[in-house]
C-alpha cells in the first residue's frame, strides 16, 4: 500500500514496515518470514517477545540501524550486532530528518492476568507505548498493546488540520482491545484509514480483522486488511 509516497507493508501480528524513501523503518517486527530489505530504524513498543524479537531484528538490521524504544528493551537489543539503541519515554519526541516520532501511552484497563488482584497484562506504570510517526501530511498511529484509553482523545482532529491519520489498531482482545473496543477507538479517531493488527499468530484470528473492517465500514470509517508481506 502507498499513501502519499509512503509505502506500508504488514509483517504480521503488530509488525509493519514504513518506507518514506530516504528513511525506512520497522515497528515491532515479529515472525518475519520473507526476505525484507534492511531498515534504518526499528521502533519497539515494549519488551514482550512478540514485540521485541531479537531474531527478527537480526533479519532486518544493518550496520548503523537505530532502535527506538523504552529503556527496558536495551538488554535484548544489545544482543544484536550493528544496532544502536536510543531509549525514550512516553511523551518524548525524536526527529530523523523530516520525520518526527513521538511515544504515546499504551496500556490495559481491563485485560487481567490476575482478576482477583486486578493485575493487568500491560499496566500503565510500566511505561509501555505506541507511536505517532509524522511524515509530511501523513501521521501513523501505532497503538501498541493497548486498550481503548482516554489518552487517545488527544489524537482526534488531525483530519481537520489537513493531515491524514493512519490508525494501526489491535483487534484480538485478551491482551489488547477486542473488535468492539477497536471500533470505538476508530470511531473516536476518525482516521483517513485504519488497519487492524495483533491477530493471526499469538492471539486473534483473521475473522477478528474481517469483523473489525466490516463494522468500521458500516460506520463510514475507511478500514482495510493488509496482507502479510
Amino acid at each position: 500500500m502507498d499513501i502519499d509516497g509512503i509505502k506500508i507493508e504488514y509483517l504480521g501480528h503488530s509488525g509493519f514496515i514504513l518506507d518514506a524513501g530516504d528513511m525506512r523503518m520497522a515497528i515491532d517486527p515479529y515472525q518475519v518470514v520473507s526476505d525484507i530489505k534492511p531498515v534504518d530504524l526499528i521502533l519497539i513498543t515494549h519488551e514482550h517477545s512478540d514485540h521485541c524479537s531479537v531474531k527478527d531484528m537480526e533479519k532486518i538490521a544493518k550496520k548503523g540501524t537505530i532502535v527506538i524504544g523504552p529503556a527496558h528493551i536495551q538488554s535484548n537489543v544489545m544482543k544484536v550486532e550493528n544496532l544502536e539503541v536510543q531509549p525514550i519515554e512516553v511523551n518524548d519526541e525524536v526527529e530523523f530528518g523530516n520525520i518526527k516520532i513521538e511515544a504515546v501511552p499504551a496500556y490495559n484497563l481491563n485485560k487481567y492476568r490476575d482478576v482477583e488482584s486486578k493485575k493487568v497484562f500491560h499496566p500503565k506504570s510500566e511505561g509501555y507505548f505506541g507511536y505517532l510517526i509524522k511524515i509530511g501530511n501523513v501521521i501513523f498511529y501505532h497503538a501498541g498493546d493497548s486498550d481503548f484509553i482516554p489518552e487517545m482523545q488527544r489524537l482526534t482532529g488531525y483530519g481537520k488540520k489537513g493531515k491524514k491519520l493512519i490508525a494501526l489498531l489491535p483487534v484480538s482482545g485478551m491482551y489488547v482491545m477486542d473488535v468492539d473496543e477497536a471500533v470505538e477507538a476508530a470511531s473516536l479517531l476518525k482516521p483517513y484509514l485504519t488497519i487492524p493488527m495483533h491477530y493471526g499468530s499469538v492471539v486473534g484470528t483473521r475473522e477478528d480483522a474481517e469483523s473489525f473492517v466490516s463494522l468500521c465500514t458500516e460506520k463510514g470509517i475507511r478500514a482495510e486488511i493488509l496482507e502479510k508481506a
Side-chain angles (χ1 to χ4, degrees), residues 192-204:
Y192 174 80
L193 171 67
T194 184
I195 298 170
M197 65 176 187
H198 204 282
Y199 66 90
S201 55
V202 178
V203 291

Side-chain angles (χ1 to χ4, degrees), residues 7-12 15-19 24-42 55-62 65 227-229:
K7 294 180 181 178
I8 312 167
E9 295 179 64
Y10 182 46
L11 299 177
F16 291 85
I17 296 280
L18 304 180
D19 192 334
R24 181 175 166 83
M25 69 191 78
I27 311 168
D28 282 359
Y30 179 64
Q31 294 185 347
V32 177
V33 295
S34 58
D35 292 331
I36 299 294
K37 179 182 171 183
V39 300
D40 304 294
L41 291 175
I42 300 175
K55 70 177 184 178
D56 287 292
M57 285 188 276
E58 287 175 335
K59 291 179 183 179
I60 61 174
K62 63 181 180 180
T65 294
E227 300 302 332
K228 187 174 179 179

